[in-house]
Amino acid sequence: QHSLDKELVADPKQTSFFRALSLASGLLLVLDEQTPTTGPATPFSRIWCGFELSEAIRESEARPIPFKLDIAACRDGKAHVLTDGVAESDRIMRTQIRHHKVGC
């Protein structure tokens, strides 16, 4: 981002942002709440965010390991997360329940 003038090219797939995305193992989409100046879900109104998301999903089939897409949203000051697969915290809890017979 320090050399933004070098990122202004005709093909967005030639940018360092896209190259970084192609190396990533997942994407976290953060959806914001409505404020007086932004939102809700600001990323859906930004063309680059839409491009990133569509390319990440489109390219996921060609990757050697599954590409993860997690979505986080804020509501009433609290974060809510949808994960692609089992979240690490859920995996730990499931293991604890199995081994220690933790009840509700």
Side-chain angles (χ1 to χ4, degrees), residues 21 25-30 44 49 52-54 56-58 60 66-72 81-85:
L21 178 64
S25 60
L27 182 74
L28 174 62
L29 175 63
V30 179
F44 293 126
C49 295
E52 276 184 334
L53 182 58
S54 68
I57 292 169
R58 192 175 67 79
S60 67
F67 188 81
K68 302 282 187 184
L69 172 61
D70 295 342
I71 302 171
V81 180
L82 296 172
T83 61
D84 185 358

Side-chain angles (χ1 to χ4, degrees), residues 6-19 48 51:
K6 294 178 183 175
E7 298 297 327
L8 299 176
V9 296
D11 183 359
K13 291 183 178 181
Q14 299 304 313
T15 64
S16 60
F17 299 107
F18 184 81
R19 288 190 297 276
W48 180 260
F51 173 73

Side-chain angles (χ1 to χ4, degrees), residues 16-99:
S16 60
F17 299 107
F18 184 81
R19 288 190 297 276
L21 178 64
S22 68
L23 296 173
S25 60
L27 182 74
L28 174 62
L29 175 63
V30 179
L31 304 176
D32 56 339
E33 286 187 280
Q34 177 77 43
T35 70
T37 57
T38 65
T42 300
F44 293 126
S45 67
R46 295 184 175 161
I47 193 69
W48 180 260
C49 295
F51 173 73
E52 276 184 334
L53 182 58
S54 68
E55 286 300 308
I57 292 169
R58 192 175 67 79
E59 295 292 325
S60 67
E61 293 177 1
R63 295 173 184 267
I65 58 171
F67 188 81
K68 302 282 187 184
L69 172 61
D70 295 342
I71 302 171
C74 294
R75 182 167 176 109
D76 300 325
K78 293 183 180 180
H80 304 276
V81 180
L82 296 172
T83 61
D84 185 358
V86 179
E88 182 65 15
S89 60
D90 292 335
R91 187 191 63 73
I92 291 169
M93 179 63 77
R94 184 172 46 192
T95 301
Q96 289 173 344
I97 290 171
R98 284 185 188 152
H99 292 295

